[in-house]
Amino acid sequence: DNIVEEIREVIIEEELKDNMVEVDNIVEEIQSDSKEDKVEDRRDIVIVMQENDVVKENHVDTDVVRTDVVETETNEVGVNEKGFQVGDLVIVEHLHRRCLGQIYTRDDGKRRYKIVIKFADKALGLEGPSDCVSKSFDDNIFPDWSGPELAVRPEAKLGLFVDKVEEPSVVSLSESPMFVIPQSSVDSIAEDKKFSKAVKSDDAEVPVHLWNDRLFNTKVNSNNTASSSEPSRVNAANKLRELGLRMYRRSLRKDCLTRVNTRFGKGWQTAPRHKPDGTLTELGIELHALTNILWYAGEATWFEHKSGSTLHYFRFPPIYQKIAKDGVPIFFEKKGPASMKRQARFANPALKKGAQEKINKALGRKYIVEANITLKSLIKYFAVPKGLEDIRMVYDATANGLNDAVWAPSFWLPTVESMLRALTPTSFMLDRDIGEQFHNFPLHPSAWPYTGLDLGPILDEDSEGDDHSVVTKGRWYHWARCLMGFKPSPYNAVKMTLITEEIVRGDRFDEENPFHYTSVELNLPGMVDYDPTKSWLYKLRQDGREACDLFTFVDDERVVGPDKDLVCKAGHRLASIQAYLGIQDAARKLREVSQTPGAWAGSVVHILSEHGVCVLTSPEKWEKLRGILKKWLTLIKEGEEKLDHKELLSDRGFLVYVSKTYPAMIPYLKGFHLTIEMWRDNRDRDGWKMTEIQTPRSSNLRTISEIEDCSEEKEDCSDLLDTLDEEDNICDLDDTAVQHKLRDTGASKHFHMAPPNGYTRPAPRFLSDLEALTALSDSPSPPLRIVRGKVIFAAVYGFGDASGKGFGFTSDDGSGNVRYRIGTWGRDAEDESSNYRELRNLVEAAEEEAKSGKLTSTEFFIFTDNSTAESSFYRGGSSSKLLHELVLRLRLLEIKYSVIIHLVHVSGTRMIAQGTDGTSRGSLLEGVMTGESMLTFVDLAKTAFERQGQTLLNWIREWTQLDDLVPLTPEEWFVEGHGIIGGELNDHGIWMPKHEGRFCTHLWAPPPAVAEVALEELLKARHKRTDTYHIVVIPRLFTPRWRRLFNKACDFTFAVPPNHAFWTADMFEPLWVGIVLPFTYHRPWQLKRAPLLVDMARELREVLRDGDSDGRHILLQLLKLNKRLAPLSKGVARAVLRMPR
């Protein structure tokens, strides 16, 4: 049933002779057709015609090796004065047969057409030349024709035409009906915005009716008002809550007593609380903490913590109780500041009054406490207006030098893409919020002396003199909780939130647990049974439904699950466990379970009955986006050379926010990034950073492997170096993580410094990027991005290669019918770079597949052996305008045909084995062309160990010296990979996880297609536990999806070439290996920052390159480094790590 017609490429370059021309690039593709009604001689062929040429009888012997050459003769009068247009259907005589062709490319510069031959004459049923111009055609003539209606064009000597169907040069998001936002979503967004504004105030009313309706099993209407609120029921519910609150307090008092009895014995009542110097003893400290817990509980109501809260630290797992009680330790890089400059008085009475209210609230909740220690530095604070009637307090820990003295590790936060993996077209969602997120968690005592506050201007009390070494009662205070504006606060608060999640999720095998699941299913591209309508990874319950899951973005929590009831139970468990641990739940912000909730992590996700899982933004934000683009586009087209730098920064921040919803826009933000930095001296005329390729300063894998690739692909080096210097592209990260990334790398000055005159000049690509963004935002209303629809999708795989003067492309939709496209480059591409030809081959092949109807509503995986093509696709091109335009064509193709395109870089050896390399050279006797399955060469679903086997595992066991080390399974990524080794119910019936000891080792080996999921879990585990080893091994495939996470997670990275006994040549691509090391006891805290690791990575790379050694001796030294440093003094340890003085 497979038709494979070999078309050999030919290129004839001869001078014109007797008004005869030979045709360039006669055959560029062949498409096979497997329909039941196919005709033997039916074929799809591309021929090229020069304008004003007519087809003459073909004199080429069909037995000659080079066949299908069409000779043409110049017509002095011309076919048509206006010429043919793209989309015209013409009758041409080809191989002695009259064929229907459609013009799909017009090159005005060379007055040349490319015509696709659709049908041979047997299908046409034509009898003579007169039919071509005079016969009235109907459906019987072209039974399989699905294009526009045919009409006669008498004035054309080549026959038929249809109305112009030229492909638009610009395609907007709105041109597909799948992207039209329904009014229900618009109304839902508006309602959510109104609700969010109403509950912003801490005094907002709690929607108690939501709990009452569920308690009495009554329904809630669309306006969130109770359908029944009988006084008797309300009174009964209130009585139940009063009883529950008394039981809660009684249980807490009992636990406090048990804690002190267990730790200090029953005779603790008579033990001293203070030391001789007046400081508290351990018992005194414990009693003070327990007293605070009981005081907060006494002030709380059922729904609200009226006077704040504190952690019930003794209810946490033992391994985390110390940091729950004292706070997460602060990493001091140098001696703390010593600035005791007093607070300036408030000049504005209104701001002073607002500041008094805010600070008195913090004092009343004991977040700020009166100083009974020697303060060493004061934090400045001030008030700024917030709306018309409110103010925001700002505490500046940078002004006194505190933020410069501490280090906060970078950390990961979930994005909307993380949450989308857990959604199906039938899922429901529920949003909950942590109240006073940072203030829930204690500030470590080591930071207290440097967080002093002078409240004299607020309390109107003067201090006695200027000697601040002695604390003056009534004026001097300090923070006791994590505070806004202090660099480690987000890291520490998120760390405690992740620890809490371990308890919230509970025992995954308990079917009564709403977060229960029994298995993690993988549905990956490359699998025989891959289903594109499902998520690539999902958790399944015992009953076969998708499991509930939880995602927390700082303090915004989202629970997702398969039905309303289960999601509601999961939300209840979340809030109740948090209350059990002493963490506030902002009950006033609760809304009903819904499929159309409000924004989360910067995006709105709706599940619509007609479309499925969709992502969108609000109409207000969409209109603002369009206004920003129109403003800058107008200025650039008018020739404006002085652009306001501050305004650009502000607008870029907003575009970054919107691009989280529409990732297709992300590559075209590069024009903004470059323009913002164009004022600097170290930029070339295109805006790229002028930096020489130097030895990498860190062990980041990108600096190991990609710089080597860059030496061969020089035209992209400036873009790569720009990425290396800035590390993570800020448009790919959430705002909080961005700020910590900038601070961590010391790049905050780089991004926040401004030109002296306040202006910058536009980068050359700024105009093209603005035009691309304008095209993508052409819709007047915000479009939907359908993530997981209800239509039936198919997966299509294609390999493309361009070698020398030829090109080839093979594809398969999973049916086993391989289609291929071969040809040679014409004069228009001969002088362009190999990068251009490689990417153009992929783009044209994708466009032709799409126009033939084979890509509509599909997922298209394109494999190339050109790394620049892959990076250009995911990063929006490079300094090359041609590459930029090609990438835009692919993005627009996605939109028009509702196709999801993945561009995957593979090695040249894989391309050779697969057979496409051969097709580009004219050989059809390799790989898939000989009958091998396309999926044989698609290794996105296989782990490194599934491909290489025991030899790879043995190599890792040798340098880890762990004979029982085995890779984690997908189920274990979410539990054992976090150091959890089971658990048990405590005295209250709450499942408490048990944890492994320190310095254990975990081996992560995810398939490349879902490596990002495993790395996200690894980053969460690392955030909670910094005393564990992790080893990550991933074949270098699909790297744009997970490389950033890989570099963020790992302290030491290297690539193993496929020339070793444990990673052989038939693996094709290198194996990427990353190692996560425990933190040290002093600077640099994280060994990733030590120069020693850079030198070790360089040495290891040299050893592995030749294949003569497996590098185990270097890796063994690396894993022993922590133990070697432990007994050393700080000075000696820094010398060992080669840290600068």
Side-chain angles (χ1 to χ4, degrees):
D1 293 332
N2 299 330
I3 301 177
V4 180
E5 300 188 24
E6 293 189 8
I7 306 298
R8 299 171 179 84
E9 62 193 47
V10 59
I11 181 165
I12 303 175
E13 298 180 353
E14 296 181 359
E15 299 293 333
L16 294 176
K17 298 179 181 179
D18 299 326
N19 293 327
M20 299 291 291
V21 296
E22 299 291 350
V23 181
D24 297 316
N25 299 333
I26 304 297
V27 182
E28 291 187 358
E29 82 171 12
I30 179 172
Q31 299 175 341
S32 59
D33 190 294
S34 58
K35 295 181 180 179
E36 294 180 359
D37 59 348
K38 58 182 177 289
V39 181
E40 180 181 355
D41 290 329
R42 181 173 166 182
R43 62 183 68 191
D44 283 3
I45 303 172
V46 178
I47 68 172
V48 180
M49 292 180 54
Q50 199 74 18
E51 190 170 329
N52 295 334
D53 291 350
V54 294
V55 176
K56 186 181 178 181
E57 183 180 3
N58 186 352
H59 295 290
V60 177
D61 188 348
T62 56
D63 294 331
V64 177
V65 174
R66 293 184 173 182
T67 62
D68 294 342
V69 178
V70 179
E71 295 185 357
T72 60
E73 181 179 280
T74 300
N75 184 335
E76 295 180 358
V77 178
V79 177
N80 181 21
E81 292 181 0
K82 296 182 180 179
F84 287 105
Q85 301 297 317
V86 172
D88 289 353
L89 295 180
V90 296
I91 293 294
V92 297
E93 185 168 333
H94 180 55
L95 298 180
H96 302 285
R97 299 171 180 176
R98 287 161 297 284
C99 308
L100 173 64
Q102 183 174 23
I103 297 174
Y104 78 97
T105 298
R106 172 186 173 90
D107 187 339
D108 290 329
K110 298 183 179 180
R111 301 176 64 80
R112 188 174 68 181
Y113 302 103
K114 289 184 180 179
I115 302 176
V116 179
I117 302 300
K118 289 293 182 182
F119 298 95
D121 60 340
K122 289 185 179 180
L124 288 174
L126 301 179
E127 305 217 349
S130 60
D131 291 338
C132 298
V133 295
S134 62
K135 184 171 181 176
S136 175
F137 294 99
D138 56 33
D139 293 340
N140 294 328
I141 297 296
F142 304 105
D144 294 326
W145 178 249
S146 60
E149 182 179 356
L150 301 178
V152 178
R153 186 179 188 181
E155 72 274 17
K157 293 189 177 182
L158 287 186
L160 304 177
F161 85 105
V162 294
D163 289 337
K164 184 177 180 181
V165 291
E166 182 176 358
E167 298 296 336
S169 58
V170 175
V171 182
S172 69
L173 287 172
S174 62
E175 293 198 14
S176 169
M178 295 182 69
F179 289 89
V180 177
I181 181 173
Q183 187 61 39
S184 60
S185 289
V186 176
D187 296 340
S188 178
I189 293 172
E191 180 185 348
D192 179 74
K193 184 177 180 180
K194 181 179 178 181
F195 177 83
S196 298
K197 185 178 295 186
V199 300
K200 189 175 290 288
S201 171
D202 293 341
D203 299 327
E205 183 179 354
V206 175
V208 180
H209 62 271
L210 292 178
W211 282 271
N212 289 346
D213 288 335
R214 183 160 183 83
L215 180 64
F216 297 109
N217 198 26
T218 55
K219 295 182 179 180
V220 177
N221 64 24
S222 60
N223 295 322
N224 272 358
T225 57
S227 59
S228 61
S229 56
E230 294 86 347
S232 59
R233 289 187 170 184
V234 173
N235 184 60
N238 290 338
K239 292 295 184 183
L240 284 173
R241 293 185 183 107
E242 291 176 5
L243 175 62
L245 188 59
R246 289 198 298 270
M247 295 173 63
Y248 165 77
R249 291 169 177 164
R250 187 182 303 116
S251 174
L252 198 56
R253 284 196 297 269
K254 181 179 178 181
D255 286 351
C256 288
L257 184 61
T258 301
R259 166 74 178 185
V260 73
N261 283 333
T262 301
R263 186 173 181 194
F264 299 100
K266 294 186 177 180
W268 61 267
Q269 294 92 339
T270 59
R273 271 64 164 176
H274 292 85
K275 297 178 183 178
D277 60 0
T279 59
L280 291 174
T281 62
E282 286 295 319
L283 175 61
I285 294 173
E286 189 80 30
L287 291 176
H288 178 75
L290 296 176
T291 301
N292 275 337
I293 289 174
L294 295 176
W295 179 81
Y296 284 114
E299 295 291 314
T301 67
W302 181 260
F303 287 111
E304 298 179 275
H305 293 80
K306 293 291 187 180
S307 297
S309 65
T310 189
L311 295 183
H312 306 159
Y313 58 89
F314 48 82
R315 287 178 169 176
F316 280 77
I319 194 173
Y320 296 126
Q321 287 183 6
K322 182 172 178 57
I323 61 174
K325 177 175 176 288
D326 300 332
V328 179
I330 305 299
F331 300 106
F332 278 91
E333 292 278 83
K334 57 185 178 181
K335 189 176 180 180
S339 172
M340 290 294 292
K341 186 176 180 180
R342 293 185 183 183
Q343 177 71 30
R345 293 186 177 276
F346 283 82
N348 187 323
L351 290 180
K352 178 180 177 180
K353 181 179 179 182
Q356 285 176 331
E357 294 176 357
K358 296 287 186 180
I359 289 180
N360 283 330
K361 182 178 180 180
L363 286 169
R365 298 187 174 193
K366 301 182 182 181
Y367 301 158
I368 298 173
V369 298
E370 191 170 3
N372 56 6
I373 60 173
T374 300
L375 297 181
K376 298 180 180 179
S377 184
L378 297 177
I379 290 180
K380 300 298 179 184
Y381 57 90
F382 53 92
V384 295
K386 178 184 175 183
L388 297 177
E389 300 179 355
D390 200 2
I391 63 106
R392 183 190 302 276
M393 288 300 299
V394 178
Y395 300 93
D396 191 358
T398 299
N400 73 335
L402 179 57
N403 280 340
D404 291 335
V406 299
W407 171 72
S410 63
F411 63 97
W412 172 83
L413 285 173
T415 65
V416 67
E417 300 298 327
S418 307
M419 187 258 294
L420 288 172
R421 287 194 294 264
L423 294 178
T424 70
T426 59
S427 297
F428 285 83
M429 293 167 277
L430 172 67
D431 287 344
R432 302 201 76 118
D433 286 78
I434 300 175
E436 298 187 309
Q437 165 72 334
F438 286 5
H439 297 339
N440 280 286
F441 309 110
L443 178 66
H444 196 271
S446 63
W448 290 359
Y450 308 104
T451 60
L453 296 172
D454 174 13
L455 299 188
I458 291 294
L459 304 177
D460 291 323
E461 296 181 8
D462 295 325
S463 64
E464 302 173 1
D466 294 330
D467 182 9
H468 302 301
S469 62
V470 178
V471 175
T472 306
K473 183 177 177 62
R475 176 165 188 157
W476 309 104
Y477 295 78
H478 68 80
W479 279 96
R481 301 294 179 91
C482 292
L483 65 147
M484 295 290 292
F486 183 37
K487 184 162 61 173
S489 290
Y491 174 83
N492 295 348
V494 172
K495 181 186 183 87
M496 296 306 302
T497 303
L498 290 172
I499 291 170
T500 302
E501 277 190 18
E502 290 186 358
I503 307 170
V504 170
R505 293 180 182 277
D507 181 7
R508 73 180 183 92
F509 295 106
D510 180 7
E511 295 186 35
E512 297 300 318
N513 175 14
F515 290 102
H516 146 78
Y517 67 96
T518 57
S519 64
V520 173
E521 299 296 320
L522 298 182
N523 170 54
L524 305 180
M527 290 181 169
V528 176
D529 56 351
Y530 171 58
D531 183 356
T533 64
K534 296 181 180 180
S535 175
W536 290 5
L537 179 146
Y538 51 94
K539 301 175 182 177
L540 280 185
R541 296 167 49 85
Q542 182 66 37
D543 58 13
R545 294 185 297 167
E546 291 82 5
C548 287
D549 214 336
L550 169 64
F551 303 90
T552 305
F553 184 84
V554 187
D555 60 345
D556 296 332
E557 301 167 314
R558 174 156 291 183
V559 179
V560 302
D563 61 50
K564 277 189 173 183
D565 184 65
L566 199 58
V567 170
C568 192
K569 289 179 179 178
H572 169 73
R573 177 176 175 86
L574 170 63
S576 60
I577 293 296
Q578 288 176 335
Y580 176 79
L581 298 173
I583 297 174
Q584 300 182 42
D585 170 56
R588 69 183 186 278
K589 298 183 180 180
L590 180 68
R591 299 190 68 185
E592 183 59 276
V593 177
S594 171
Q595 290 189 315
T596 57
W600 181 87
S603 297
V604 178
V605 178
H606 284 181
I607 297 177
L608 305 176
S609 58
E610 62 271 35
H611 296 312
V613 182
C614 306
V615 185
L616 64 156
T617 191
S618 67
E620 294 81 8
K621 288 184 175 63
W622 186 252
E623 191 59 33
K624 181 178 178 180
L625 166 76
R626 286 160 53 85
I628 289 173
L629 297 176
K630 182 179 179 181
K631 172 185 66 178
W632 292 113
L633 187 58
T634 301
L635 286 174
I636 299 303
K637 286 187 174 181
E638 290 176 351
E640 182 61 58
E641 288 293 324
K642 295 176 62 178
L643 306 181
D644 188 284
H645 188 263
K646 184 176 181 180
E647 191 175 359
L648 276 167
L649 280 172
S650 175
D651 288 346
R652 179 183 68 174
F654 181 77
L655 293 174
V656 168
Y657 175 82
V658 175
S659 67
K660 296 175 184 177
T661 302
Y662 304 107
M665 293 183 174
I666 290 176
Y668 308 104
L669 298 181
K670 192 66 176 179
F672 274 90
H673 303 326
L674 294 178
T675 297
I676 287 171
E677 305 301 327
M678 278 294 290
W679 63 276
R680 300 183 184 278
D681 294 333
N682 64 336
R683 298 277 164 164
D684 64 19
R685 63 182 182 180
D686 293 320
W688 304 106
K689 193 184 308 300
M690 293 186 296
T691 307
E692 295 181 358
I693 299 178
Q694 299 173 343
T695 300
R697 295 184 297 273
S698 70
S699 56
N700 189 313
L701 180 54
R702 219 169 6 182
T703 64
I704 293 176
S705 63
E706 290 196 5
I707 279 186
E708 295 174 347
D709 294 339
C710 187
S711 62
E712 299 179 1
E713 309 291 352
K714 292 183 179 179
E715 73 176 72
D716 252 6
C717 285
S718 56
D719 192 16
L720 176 58
L721 290 167
D722 187 72
T723 305
L724 289 176
D725 187 79
E726 294 173 4
E727 290 202 11
D728 292 321
N729 187 332
I730 67 168
C731 63
D732 290 339
L733 302 174
D734 58 81
D735 295 339
T736 305
V738 165
Q739 295 304 318
H740 283 268
K741 170 60 69 178
L742 298 182
R743 292 167 184 162
D744 177 37
T745 61
S748 57
K749 294 181 180 179
H750 174 82
F751 281 100
H752 296 291
M753 286 176 59
N757 63 357
Y759 293 96
T760 185
R761 64 185 187 278
R765 71 174 281 176
F766 195 28
L767 175 61
S768 61
D769 279 353
L770 284 170
E771 289 174 339
L773 289 169
T774 301
L776 291 171
S777 59
D778 186 51
S779 169
S781 58
L784 298 174
R785 176 166 68 92
I786 300 179
V787 178
R788 196 161 295 114
K790 292 187 174 182
V791 299
I792 301 300
F793 281 77
V796 180
Y797 304 93
F799 283 73
D801 186 38
S803 55
K805 293 186 177 181
F807 59 83
F809 193 89
T810 59
S811 62
D812 183 3
D813 60 4
S815 63
N817 297 326
V818 176
R819 300 183 298 276
Y820 66 96
R821 171 184 188 269
I822 60 176
T824 57
W825 295 110
R827 298 186 184 94
D828 59 335
E830 285 180 349
D831 296 332
E832 300 297 339
S833 68
S834 61
N835 292 335
Y836 170 78
R837 293 196 298 270
E838 290 276 6
L839 185 54
R840 176 176 165 180
N841 177 40
L842 304 179
V843 173
E844 290 184 347
E847 288 174 340
E848 291 169 11
E849 289 279 293
K851 291 173 186 176
S852 68
K854 295 180 175 64
L855 294 186
T856 302
S857 296
T858 66
E859 197 168 12
F860 191 21
F861 295 86
I862 306 176
F863 297 85
T864 174
D865 61 357
N866 184 266
S867 61
T868 301
E870 182 189 60
S871 63
S872 297
F873 178 72
Y874 288 104
R875 294 191 286 117
S878 63
S879 56
S880 168
K881 180 181 178 181
L882 294 175
L883 292 180
H884 177 84
E885 292 173 346
L886 288 171
V887 172
L888 179 58
R889 284 166 62 180
L890 276 181
R891 291 298 185 185
L892 296 177
L893 196 72
E894 286 185 302
I895 296 167
K896 182 176 181 181
Y897 293 96
S898 299
V899 55
I900 301 172
I901 295 178
H902 305 278
L903 202 58
V904 185
H905 174 228
V906 299
S907 69
T909 54
R910 181 183 294 271
M911 192 66 68
I912 293 172
Q914 190 269 346
T916 300
D917 177 85
T919 63
S920 70
R921 304 176 189 277
S923 172
L924 303 178
L925 300 174
E926 299 174 1
V928 296
M929 304 305 295
T930 63
E932 289 192 61
S933 170
M934 183 76 76
L935 294 184
T936 303
F937 305 97
V938 179
D939 286 326
L940 302 180
K942 298 178 182 178
T943 70
F945 297 107
E946 288 174 334
R947 294 174 57 193
Q948 184 63 71
Q950 191 66 31
T951 55
L952 176 61
L953 184 59
N954 290 339
W955 173 68
I956 296 176
R957 286 175 174 176
E958 287 172 356
W959 51 265
T960 58
Q961 297 185 330
L962 298 172
D963 294 336
D964 57 348
L965 184 66
V966 294
L968 298 170
T969 65
E971 288 80 8
E972 291 172 337
W973 295 349
F974 301 91
V975 183
E976 285 78 2
H978 294 246
I980 300 173
I981 51 173
E984 60 184 7
L985 299 177
N986 66 7
D987 294 339
H988 299 287
I990 305 296
W991 187 86
M992 284 289 160
K994 291 184 177 180
H995 295 84
E996 64 190 9
R998 302 171 61 196
F999 306 125
C1000 291
T1001 302
H1002 298 289
L1003 178 57
W1004 302 71
V1010 286
E1012 59 183 328
V1013 182
L1015 289 167
E1016 286 177 1
E1017 292 302 313
L1018 169 56
L1019 284 162
K1020 289 162 64 176
R1022 169 59 172 253
H1023 199 160
K1024 293 179 289 185
R1025 297 282 302 271
T1026 58
D1027 58 357
T1028 306
Y1029 292 91
H1030 298 273
I1031 299 170
V1032 185
V1033 290
I1034 311 173
R1036 195 215 61 194
L1037 289 168
F1038 238 167
T1039 54
R1041 296 180 62 91
W1042 51 265
R1043 178 178 56 213
R1044 206 175 300 276
L1045 296 175
F1046 181 85
N1047 292 330
K1048 181 185 287 288
C1050 299
D1051 297 313
F1052 186 89
T1053 60
F1054 61 96
V1056 179
N1059 59 354
H1060 292 268
F1062 56 89
W1063 192 250
T1064 51
D1066 56 352
M1067 297 296 101
F1068 301 120
E1069 294 78 26
L1071 177 70
W1072 283 19
V1073 182
I1075 300 176
V1076 181
L1077 301 167
F1079 277 16
T1080 59
Y1081 296 107
H1082 41 70
R1083 286 191 66 198
W1085 307 112
Q1086 190 175 8
L1087 287 173
K1088 184 177 188 176
R1089 308 165 72 206
L1092 174 64
L1093 267 67
V1094 178
D1095 298 335
M1096 295 179 72
R1098 185 184 302 111
E1099 181 184 357
L1100 179 61
R1101 189 168 68 253
E1102 293 173 354
V1103 166
L1104 292 174
R1105 181 182 294 122
D1106 299 330
D1108 297 332
S1109 173
D1110 59 11
R1112 73 181 70 178
H1113 61 288
I1114 299 175
L1115 295 169
L1116 188 57
Q1117 292 177 13
L1118 177 69
L1119 295 182
K1120 291 182 177 180
L1121 187 57
N1122 282 81
K1123 294 181 180 179
R1124 178 185 172 193
L1125 295 173
L1128 302 180
S1129 65
K1130 292 183 181 180
V1132 175
R1134 288 176 61 80
V1136 170
L1137 297 175
R1138 303 173 189 174
M1139 296 289 293
R1141 294 183 180 276

